[in-house]
Amino acid sequence: MTTTAELLKGAAELFPDEVVTQAHVRHLDLPQDAGRFALITLDNGLDHTKPTTFGPASLANLNAAIDQVEKEAADGEITGVGITGKPFIFAVGADLKGVELLKRHEDALAIGKGGHDVFKRLSTLAVPTFAYYNGAAMGGGVEVGLHCAYRTVSAALPAFSLPEVFLGLVPGWGGCTLLPNLIGADRAVSVIIENSLNQNKQLKGKQVYELGIADALFEGADFLEQSLIWTASVLKGEIEIARPEIDRGDAWHEAVVRGRAIADGKVHGAAPAAYRALEIIDAARNGDLARGYEAEEKALADLIMGGELRSGIYAFNLVQKRAKRPAGAPDKSLARPVSKVGVVGAGLMASQLALLFARRLEVPVVLTDIDQERVDKGVGYVHDEIDKLLLKGRINQDKANRLKAAVTGSLDKAAAFGDADFVIEAVFEEMGVKQQVFAEVEAVVPEHAILATNTSSLSVSEMASKLKHPERVVGFHFFNPVAILPLLEIVRGEKTDDASLATAFGVAKKLKKTAVLVKDAPAFVVNRILTRFMGEIQNVIDEGTPVDVAERAVEPLGLPMSPLVLLELVGPAIGLHVSETLHGAFPDRFTVSENLKRVVEAGKRGFYVYDSGKPELDPEVAALLQQGGTVLTEEQVRDRVLDAVAQEIGLMLDEGVVAEAQDIDLCLITGAGWPFHLGGLTPYLDREGVSERVNGKRFLAPGVASVPA
């Protein structure tokens, strides 16, 4: 029979670039004469920016440390064993770099088995075991602690989660089995399913304690010291941990049903991970740990060899790595400093931008508009939002005062922008208006000032064409809501120079936005793809397919919202305007729906009413629709929509709108909230065979967002 050490040695050969975590054992005398104690510290030797992970060699090191303390415990040399992490980091789970290299089911199975074999030894030692969650703990980092008898958590801990379902996995080193048996199925469903599918929501230290995952909560400053004092009291019997009785009856069943409803609402059955996790939670009701671990290992192996996880890891790498090094960005040394920002316009979008610039850049920001009432309203909005941040405790009074003082308004562009380094316009989406605004601004700003446009679809080059210095105009397209969506499409016009572009990227970084360099092409990236996507849905409705059939057709993609709910969020008038812009540029592919025109002319804000709490087709909208006689099935609609989008992405890459397909996916994930399990979109189109059907080739090479050949 293969030993754990042999299993991990074989697995380590598949992970050549693992950043190896050491498991250092040191001994100390506990206070109150509670005996000699062995403390294992997980540390990869790097600072907190390189979190500690578990690959095969790392698990082998922990296994060796447990060998040592197991012998000491058996020999009566120690009274307990603790496990903690390096400063700010406990451990953040499996090493995903290695997981994406795996090609065989049996190798994937070995990863699950290896983790279990090591971690579960902590629960079988001859002395009590303690986990001290001192810093960020995710995935396997959380799970190693669940195998201990007791846990403490730091009040300063910023992030604690089981994010596996978000990536396309299950918590497979004990999470699905142990957590519901510790805190009950309903709370476990919240952590494993609900938080994961809510954009990988993190828990803070206090929440970890309140959920019952940790037995004690201590302040960050002397966390380990207090944890050891508490440990001594537990070992001496002075503190007894009373854990609640777990309801293994109807409450457990109802929790699993709730989990399925959450998964259905988020991924509509399109991504298997959540459902596999729920099956294991359901089966864990009787407390049979061995059976649970076996189910976790099988689910892990199946999912590691599936497309969803590969797409999830691909998406994770885009957001964590590619986003930090934007393709095609000029040398950052060319960027000029920005010490004052001007915003033309004081409407909702302009006001959101003013708040963002003030908070992130911490420089003066001045808004202008055509009358004092609008200016006052814009500045008032920013000040109100600052007050809300203060009320929520996100900023202190001093910071609130400084931010409010930094954001002002003026009707005089010369006075407002005479010393500005960066001026962004957020006025009506009409070329003539924007050209006039830029002409007025160019006349009063310093020669080095960048002129940025927040246009969503208009040509940046045309906007700059009448200026004396078109080289300093750059597209700076944000997505709504500005505070939440990370994407910033940075558009290089025909004349934009490297210094202006570098400054734009420098500002984007300070704004903490994901910047993607985009060619000056109609509607850039996200709006062009979404308009083609929405346009095809609108086309099939106009031709005669019922609205509900068209909407349901794309549910298997697991998008954050249905196409017509998205149209409502964007606003039908804006959707119509963008479709008209794109129809003007590409009349053979982009249509302008007469039905959508009628909806806009009638002043309707969307297709639905919500009287029952659920979206239902507005009878007044239904009366406006004029449909043909062609009724398609859901499958036919889906094929048509995906074919259209695959064609559009292929054309965009041929035109050089972005550097690679990866940038398309990064834009869709960060600008439109498309799911990680799709990898954005191109991995899904490759996986479903749509790319080859439409374009004759895949978007991504085999092994990129898929299992290597």
Side-chain angles (χ1 to χ4, degrees):
M1 187 175 160
T2 309
T3 66
T4 301
E6 288 167 342
L7 183 75
L8 292 170
K9 188 169 183 291
E13 289 166 10
L14 302 170
F15 286 57
D17 299 321
E18 179 183 350
V19 177
V20 178
T21 297
Q22 304 299 327
H24 304 290
V25 181
R26 65 185 170 111
H27 296 90
L28 42 95
D29 293 320
L30 287 172
Q32 305 167 40
D33 295 324
R36 193 161 179 260
F37 190 76
L39 182 65
I40 300 169
T41 302
L42 303 170
D43 191 346
N44 61 7
L46 301 166
D47 69 16
H48 67 278
T49 62
K50 299 283 190 299
T52 305
T53 53
F54 293 118
S58 306
L59 286 171
N61 286 338
L62 178 56
N63 198 48
I66 296 173
D67 283 343
Q68 179 187 335
V69 299
E70 184 178 56
K71 184 175 185 309
E72 292 170 353
D75 292 347
E77 294 174 13
I78 54 174
T79 57
V81 174
I83 185 165
T84 193
K86 67 183 184 181
F88 309 109
I89 305 288
F90 183 78
V92 298
D95 182 349
L96 291 176
K97 290 197 305 298
V99 171
E100 62 188 317
L101 300 174
L102 297 177
K103 300 178 183 180
R104 301 185 313 162
H105 193 274
E106 55 264 43
D107 294 333
L109 199 60
I111 296 300
K113 191 163 177 5
H116 276 134
D117 286 353
V118 175
F119 289 1
K120 69 188 180 188
R121 295 182 68 197
L122 289 165
S123 62
T124 59
L125 296 180
V127 294
T129 49
F130 298 79
Y132 307 130
Y133 291 124
N134 65 302
M138 295 170 203
V142 168
E143 290 170 300
V144 71
L146 293 178
H147 286 269
C148 294
Y150 304 97
R151 286 156 296 281
T152 67
V153 66
S154 166
L157 181 146
F160 183 103
S161 65
L162 289 169
E164 287 84 352
V165 166
F166 177 67
L167 290 169
L169 279 174
V170 297
W173 285 343
C176 287
T177 304
L178 293 172
L179 193 63
N181 279 291
L182 176 68
I183 62 173
D186 194 62
R187 287 179 165 189
V189 162
S190 294
V191 176
I192 294 169
I193 307 296
E194 189 170 19
N195 289 357
S196 262
L197 292 180
N198 279 328
Q199 294 298 310
N200 192 20
K201 181 184 173 190
Q202 300 293 320
L203 298 168
K204 300 274 194 277
K206 186 164 181 264
Q207 294 168 299
V208 174
Y209 171 65
E210 287 168 349
L211 280 167
I213 300 171
D215 302 306
L217 175 76
F218 299 113
E219 289 303 318
D222 56 352
F223 169 70
L224 187 57
E225 185 185 345
Q226 292 300 321
S227 291
L228 292 169
I229 293 169
W230 179 86
T231 297
S233 297
V234 171
L235 290 174
K236 287 175 75 72
E238 293 164 4
I239 291 177
E240 282 192 29
I241 303 303
R243 298 209 175 106
E245 189 73 27
I246 301 299
D247 186 331
R248 300 180 185 278
D250 290 346
W252 196 292
H253 173 71
E254 284 160 15
V256 173
V257 169
R258 182 174 79 88
R260 288 213 177 93
I262 292 165
D264 287 345
K266 291 286 185 183
V267 300
H268 306 282
Y275 302 96
R276 291 296 291 268
L278 286 163
E279 285 169 16
I280 301 167
I281 292 169
D282 195 22
R285 184 195 301 220
N286 62 5
D288 184 343
L289 300 186
R291 188 166 155 238
Y293 296 162
E294 195 178 318
E296 287 178 355
E297 286 161 17
K298 183 168 189 324
L300 263 187
D302 291 349
L303 291 166
I304 284 171
M305 300 314 292
E308 182 200 2
L309 171 70
R310 304 304 171 129
S311 294
I313 294 174
Y314 164 81
F316 182 79
N317 287 336
L318 289 182
V319 171
Q320 294 297 320
K321 295 175 184 172
R322 191 177 183 92
K324 292 177 173 60
R325 293 186 288 278
D331 189 324
K332 56 188 175 192
S333 68
L334 297 171
R336 293 192 283 261
V338 172
S339 57
K340 183 178 179 182
V341 172
V343 182
V344 186
L348 181 59
M349 190 67 175
S351 304
Q352 288 183 71
L353 296 181
L355 177 65
L356 180 70
F357 277 95
R359 283 192 73 196
R360 298 281 187 240
L361 268 58
E362 297 189 341
V363 300
V365 178
V366 58
L367 296 127
T368 67
D369 212 314
I370 55 174
D371 60 51
Q372 193 64 45
E373 187 182 343
R374 290 178 202 223
V375 170
D376 292 345
K377 190 177 176 188
V379 174
Y381 168 87
V382 177
H383 287 194
D384 287 347
E385 291 299 308
I386 292 166
D387 285 337
K388 287 179 192 171
L389 292 169
L390 178 64
L391 275 172
K392 289 176 186 169
R394 303 267 295 278
I395 56 174
N396 60 26
Q397 186 66 58
D398 181 51
K399 184 75 177 279
N401 293 344
R402 278 185 292 146
L403 285 174
K404 282 185 179 180
V407 180
T408 57
S410 174
L411 289 176
D412 183 346
K413 286 191 179 69
F417 303 151
D419 56 350
D421 306 301
F422 191 99
V423 179
I424 184 165
E425 69 74 25
V427 300
F428 186 65
E429 193 77 344
E430 205 278 310
M431 183 59 76
V433 174
K434 290 186 185 282
Q435 284 180 331
Q436 182 188 340
V437 160
F438 269 165
E440 291 170 5
V441 172
E442 186 183 46
V444 298
V445 295
E447 278 190 17
H448 68 270
I450 306 299
L451 304 183
T453 170
N454 184 46
T455 182
S456 59
S457 60
L458 300 176
S459 166
V460 174
S461 303
E462 188 182 342
M463 216 176 287
S465 62
K466 298 182 179 178
L467 298 178
K468 289 182 190 137
H469 294 287
E471 70 278 359
R472 58 176 171 172
V473 176
V474 64
F476 216 62
H477 180 219
F478 290 87
F479 288 79
N480 217 348
V482 169
I484 294 171
L485 290 174
L487 180 63
L488 183 52
E489 292 178 338
I490 296 187
V491 187
R492 180 171 208 153
E494 286 172 17
K495 302 272 179 73
T496 308
D497 63 21
D498 281 354
S500 301
L501 202 60
T503 305
F505 273 98
V507 169
K509 188 172 183 182
K510 286 185 177 168
L511 294 175
K512 299 184 178 174
K513 291 296 180 186
T514 297
V516 175
L517 181 61
V518 179
K519 185 181 171 184
D520 188 15
F524 316 125
V525 177
V526 173
N527 283 344
R528 180 161 164 186
I529 293 168
L530 288 185
T531 303
R532 187 80 199 271
F533 177 84
M534 306 274 284
E536 212 53 52
I537 295 279
Q538 193 72 59
N539 287 344
V540 299
I541 292 171
D542 293 354
E543 290 164 17
T545 298
V547 169
D548 60 326
V549 174
E551 288 267 81
R552 276 200 312 273
V554 292
E555 275 188 359
L557 294 174
L559 298 176
M561 62 190 76
S562 76
L564 293 182
V565 173
L566 175 62
L567 181 67
E568 198 170 298
L569 183 72
V570 170
I574 292 172
L576 179 64
H577 174 74
V578 177
S579 68
E580 287 170 341
T581 300
L582 282 159
H583 177 69
F586 310 114
D588 56 326
R589 301 194 308 280
F590 288 85
T591 53
V592 177
S593 166
E594 293 301 319
N595 278 327
L596 183 56
K597 270 188 187 172
R598 290 184 196 97
V599 170
V600 172
E601 284 162 6
K604 302 302 283 184
R605 297 186 61 180
F607 276 60
Y608 293 129
V609 287
Y610 295 85
D611 298 340
S612 65
K614 290 181 180 174
E616 292 175 4
L617 189 61
D618 183 340
E620 292 178 17
V621 170
L624 294 170
L625 298 181
Q626 295 179 18
Q627 294 179 279
T630 305
V631 179
L632 301 182
T633 64
E634 288 177 26
E635 193 176 350
Q636 287 170 322
V637 172
R638 188 161 55 251
D639 284 348
R640 229 174 99 171
V641 169
L642 293 176
D643 285 4
V645 173
Q647 181 195 31
E648 203 58 41
I649 293 172
L651 291 165
M652 289 166 72
L653 292 171
D654 290 345
E655 292 167 27
V657 174
V658 288
E660 293 181 290
Q662 281 88 336
D663 292 315
I664 298 270
D665 293 319
L666 182 57
C667 285
L668 286 171
I669 292 163
T670 57
W674 281 44
F676 266 52
H677 71 257
L678 295 186
L681 185 55
T682 68
Y684 178 81
L685 295 172
D686 285 350
R687 200 160 72 225
E688 296 295 311
V690 181
S691 315
E692 293 191 54
R693 182 170 75 226
V694 174
N695 300 323
K697 60 181 180 182
R698 296 167 57 96
F699 287 116
L700 302 166
V704 178
S706 57
V707 177

